[in-house]
Structures are given as C-alpha cells and as structure tokens.
Amino acid sequence: MSAPNDLKRFAYAERVIHWVAGLSFLFLLMTGLAFSHPRLFWITSLVGGGSTARFLHPWMGTLFTGSMVVMFFTWAKEMSIQDGDRAWLKSIKHYAVHDKDNVPPAGKYNGGQKLFFWSMAILGVAYIVTGIPMWMPGGFLGVGPFYGGVVNSMRLVHYLSTVFGGLLLIVHVYLGTIAYPGTLGGMLHGTVTNAWAKLHHPLWHKDQSG
Amino acid sequence: MPQDRGVTQSGLAIRRMSASSEPPPSPNVRTGPEYAKLIDISRCIGCKGCEVACKEWNELGIEPTENFGSMQSHRDLGPDTWLLMRFNEIEVGGDLQWLIKKDACLHCEEPGCLYACPSPGAIVQYENGIVDFNHDSCIGCQLCVSGCPFDIPRFNPATRKVYKCNMCVDRVEAGLEPACVKTCPTNAISWGTKEDMVTLAEQKVERLQARGFDNATLYDPAGVGGTHMMYVVPHGDQLGEYDLPADPKASPGALAALGGLRKLGASALGLGILGTALHYLGFGPQEPGAAEVPSNGVGGGTAPMSAGGESRPTVESQATGESSPTVPSPPTGETPPTGDPTGSTEG
Ligand code: HEM
Ligand code: SF4
Ligand code: SF4
C-alpha cells in the first residue's frame, strides 16, 4: 500500500496499542452513555443487553487503562509540550478554519495532538479512580465499602469525565479520518505520504527527508 | 385490621419506573388505594416473628445467624434477609433499653433507589405505593444501594441482582396484608390505606405522650415524600439511636447534579458530532496537494475516502470554491468542536 518514498510514522507496536486503547474506549463510551441516559439505554442491546454491558464495562475499562499506561510510556517523551507547541495552540482558531498561513509549522505532533494526549492521560486516571468504587462498591482488598455518598460522587465525576473525553474523541476521530485524508492510513499501516507530512507536519517532514 | 377495611384488589398500575423518559406503561387502568404499613415500636416485644414470616412467605434462603453478643439474628440485611429486627442497645436514665427498629424497605414515595437506577423498569413504584424490583431488568450495577438513603437493597453476587422487601406485593394484590403484619402477635404492625395509617399513628403518638413519652413521634420523613412503611417512635429525640436518618433525601447532592447534567452531557456530545459535520461541510477535507507528490500521483493515497471528487483541487480552492486569499467564515458560523470561536478569522 505504501509507495517507496512514503514516510514511516507509527511502528507496529504503536499502532497496536493505539487501537487497543481506541476500540476499548469506544466500547466504554457507548456502554457508559447507555447507563447515563434512559434514551440511550438501547445501546446495551448492541453488546448483549444491560447485564452483559454492565459486566463487560469494567473489564474493558481495565484493558483501556492498561493500554493507556503503555501508550503513556511509549509517547510521553515525544509529547512534551515545547514553546513551538504553545505558539501553535495560540493560533488554534486559525488552524480550525484551515488558515494555514497563520499557524506555526508543527513537528511530528502539533500542539493540539499533544494536548489531546495529556488530556487523555489525565482522564484515564479519573476514569479508573472513580470507576473502581462503582465496580466494586462492596469494597476490595480491604478498602471500602463505598456504598452511598462515595459511589454517588464518583458517579458524577466519572460522568463529567466521560462527556469531556467523548468530546475530545469526536474531534480526534474527525481529524484523523475525514477531515485530513491520509491520516488514518498512518495509524493503520504505519506510513504517510510526503505530501501529507509536508502539509500537516512540516517540521517533521523536513526532519525526515533532511 | 385489614379485613373490615374492605381492602380491594389494588391492581398493579405503575406510577414510577426507573430510567424512563416516557410515562410509565400501566398494565392496569385501575388505581386502587395507596397502602401503608405502620410499625408501633412501643408495642414490639422483639419476638422476630415477622422475620420468620417474611422468610417463609417469600421463600428466602437461609443466611446463617451468628452470636455477636446481641439479641439480633443477623448482623445485617442480605439478599435473602429482607427484614431484620435491629436491637439497638442504649442506656436511658441508667436503664438498658432496646430501641428496636424493624429494618426493611420503607417504600418511599420518592424512592432514591429508583431514581439512581440506570436500567429502564428495573425498579417500579406501583400506584399503591409499593416499590418493587423487577429482576428481569436489573443489570446488577448496585447503584440503587447507594441511591437508597436507608441502605436497604442487598446484592447477591451469585445472581448478580439486588433484593429487598417487596411489601409482599403478591399478597397485597390479592387483597391480603403483608406476611409480617399477619403474623405479629402484639399488633405492633398495622396495615391499611396511607391516610388511615397516618390517622392511627397520630392517635398512637398522642397516647404515648399521655403516658409520658414526651418525644414520641411519627416517622414519615418528608425528604423522601413520606414512606409507605412508617414508624411510631417512642423516643423521637433519639432517631439516630434507632438508626433512623433524621433527614433522608431521595436524591442526595451528587445524584441530583447528575440528574440535571445528563441531558446536558448527551446534548453536548450530539452537538459535538453536529459541529464536526458542519465543519466538514464548511471547510471540507484538507487534502495534501496532488501536484506536490510526483511519486504518488494521488495526494491522499492512503485516505479512507476520496472526498475531493474527480479532479483534486488545491486546498484553498476546494475549501470555499471562491478562492479568496483570506478564509471566509463557514456559512453557518458554527463553533468548531474544539470549542474555540471561529467567528473572527482575519487573515
Ligand atoms: C476509535 C477511534 C479512533 C480513531 C479513528 C483514531 C485515529 C487516530 C489516527 C488516525 C491517529 C494518527 C494521527 C497522526 O498521524 O497524527 C491517531 C493518533 C492518536 N490517537 Fe487515536 N483514534 C481513535 C481513538 C483514540 C483514543 C480513544 C485515544 C486515547 C485514549 C487515542 C489516542 C491517540 C493519540 C494520543 C494519538 C497521537 C496523537 C494524536 O494524533 O493526537 N485515539 N488516532
Ligand atoms: S427505603 Fe430504599 S430501597 Fe426502599 S423504596 Fe426507599 S430508597 Fe428504595
Ligand atoms: S442493581 Fe438493578 S435495581 Fe439496582 S440500580 Fe442496578 S439495575 Fe437498578
């Protein structure tokens, strides 16, 4: 699928870990929203019904958390936010309207992608910390029980984090697929074209071909 | 007692239903009377006959008892123990007193369990006031346990369902009183319409006060809209000692906030998707210019969809079709999904 002078963007391991996180998160988002609102409860029927959804949700959450830990250590260094990224973030409204001339050139990841990475890392912690008391309200490893106020407030924080993470995911998926053709291929088979790199990540492109 | 009260079939018309935006589907148009059970604690001798009757009628399994230095049969309620006589031992004026509490579901008018439940129809409240769990629909999340201000429902890990007193709804439907009412040897438990029970309770409280129980009171907490199991409490100033919350709330802070926010949250996600769609319509895909990749021919060679059409135009001309050097606002002026304003785009 890739032409000879395409650029390698994501290693096999990076792609696997990304899709484990991505697909498990999608499952969590859908089933979680089903629990959150009566009108969305029908979503549970897609995964085998309410009880099955309730059973699988925390285990998927465990998988997601595990993949996020691996992703974190794989990418944290590359994702550190530099001055260039701060400048990029300041011009995000130009970026949003495809006004490229007023957006500082990005490296391998732009400021928005880095911010997304860090937001997801923080949200990932929020999900697991608030999720465990709801998963095992009777307590675990001698801690607990959590019935009552603890579970109820965890539920609120878990929900707010979900809405936030969901919004981020919508933007992420949009940009990674239809908004920027050629991007999804990078995460699927690892390579992107020169033209894609030049357009979206000029500094990285220079680095790779220089 | 019930027989001369002319208790009729109440039917099982449903008044409230968990996790449901629609009005409850009533299987029955009849609205029978609203019932209540009244526990006169001052008449209870602690025989636990009601516990046994509950187990028998509802065919509940055995949960082993244990001697932990109390007259109480079990330490706690359980999935197979829907009723527990709690023997709270305290000293009143140098005298040992048992402040007995018949611990079971109070069948709240505003049931916190029902409001907390995410599964449509797993908890229902019938027109007759009884709050019942429908185990077919229960998904075993246990959120009702946290939603109940009285800590009543209990989870069975084997069945992954939650259980509690159902006020012998099958008996009530057939015009009978609950099993505990029937069995009580001292008439400490009365059964009838909510109205009648409140009247009866007021008389009992008056009599108690005349006998010197100055703080005698009726426990029918307003924070949950009143209950369908009420207590006549001799020492009304010691509710805490009885293990009765002084001011229970049907929707404690976090749950009330969640109830208010969840419409907002779902709408926000819907708007997010709409926002990306509008952004796409306004700005289109950003394709790498075809001319710049001699080796590859087509710009988005690995793109999942070729959104550009037959001839691949350059980014600028495609986005707007007007090919002006500055980028105009999209026709709708929608907020992009990042939440940042796009309105001001001075190039
Ligand atoms: C399931 C839908 C998802 C799709 C279609 C998707 C797609 C993509 C694509 C195409 C890229 C490559 C971007 C580039 O080359 O610059 C990417 C990167 C990335 N993805 Fe996803 N992703 C999804 C879900 C997720 C989830 C749930 C997370 C986090 C938990 C996540 C975290 C990341 C991160 C941190 C990167 C690198 C930085 C970035 O591009 O923002 N992805 N994703
Ligand atoms: S006492 Fe608890 S379980 Fe019973 S109706 Fe009230 S909130 Fe529900
Ligand atoms: S355990 Fe069952 S009844 Fe209780 S909140 Fe969950 S679904 Fe509803």
Side-chain angles (χ1 to χ4, degrees), chain B residues 117-119 122-123 133 137-144 162:
Chain B
C117 175
S119 181
I123 306 181
F133 283 12
S137 301
C138 171
I139 63 171
C141 65
Q142 306 177 58
L143 291 173
C144 51
V162 164

Side-chain angles (χ1 to χ4, degrees), chain B residues 6-236:
Chain B
V7 174
T8 57
Q9 299 243 135
S10 68
L12 288 177
I14 290 170
R15 182 188 306 166
R16 286 194 177 88
M17 195 168 140
S18 60
S20 189
S21 304
E22 283 73 30
S26 294
N28 192 325
V29 291
R30 283 172 295 164
T31 55
E34 195 175 318
Y35 292 111
K37 190 157 79 179
L38 181 66
I39 321 296
D40 182 349
I41 295 179
S42 71
R43 294 189 74 124
C44 175
I45 55 170
C47 71
K48 302 172 200 146
C50 52
E51 281 190 15
V52 177
C54 176
K55 288 250 178 196
E56 284 199 328
W57 179 260
N58 294 298
E59 298 184 10
L60 302 177
I62 295 165
E63 289 183 308
T65 57
E66 159 194 17
N67 187 345
F68 57 99
S70 163
M71 281 290 285
Q72 203 168 305
S73 61
H74 301 77
R75 277 187 196 268
D76 195 14
L77 292 167
D80 272 326
T81 303
W82 297 352
L83 164 56
L84 176 66
M85 299 309 282
R86 287 192 188 272
F87 286 67
N88 302 297
E89 294 180 9
I90 64 152
E91 278 195 17
V92 180
D95 242 8
L96 177 76
Q97 285 254 8
W98 272 328
L99 302 188
I100 297 177
K101 175 197 179 192
K102 182 176 152 78
D103 196 15
C105 174
L106 281 82
H107 299 272
C108 310
E109 176 59 31
E110 302 269 347
C113 58
L114 187 148
Y115 295 150
C117 175
S119 181
I123 306 181
V124 294
Q125 181 186 48
Y126 304 117
E127 285 287 0
N128 64 18
I130 295 178
V131 177
D132 198 7
F133 283 12
N134 175 8
H135 294 109
D136 282 357
S137 301
C138 171
I139 63 171
C141 65
Q142 306 177 58
L143 291 173
C144 51
V145 184
S146 294
C148 169
F150 303 100
D151 186 26
I152 298 297
R154 288 292 180 272
F155 181 63
N156 182 341
T159 61
R160 301 192 144 270
K161 310 270 177 194
V162 164
Y163 301 85
K164 71 163 188 68
C165 156
N166 63 10
M167 197 80 113
C168 293
V169 64
D170 46 351
R171 290 177 58 91
V172 173
E173 187 193 1
L176 300 170
E177 70 281 66
C180 57
V181 182
K182 170 118 179 158
T183 211
C184 178
T186 67
N187 269 355
I189 318 177
S190 312
W191 173 253
T193 63
K194 168 96 190 193
E195 249 176 279
D196 288 351
M197 288 304 104
V198 171
T199 312
L200 180 61
E202 279 160 0
Q203 292 164 0
K204 282 172 177 282
V205 166
E206 249 168 60
R207 259 175 280 153
L208 277 173
Q209 286 172 343
R211 276 171 53 200
F213 291 92
D214 294 336
N215 298 307
T217 185
L218 166 65
Y219 189 77
D220 182 23
V224 294
T227 58
H228 296 88
M229 174 170 82
M230 305 178 290
Y231 300 93
V232 169
V233 187
H235 303 287

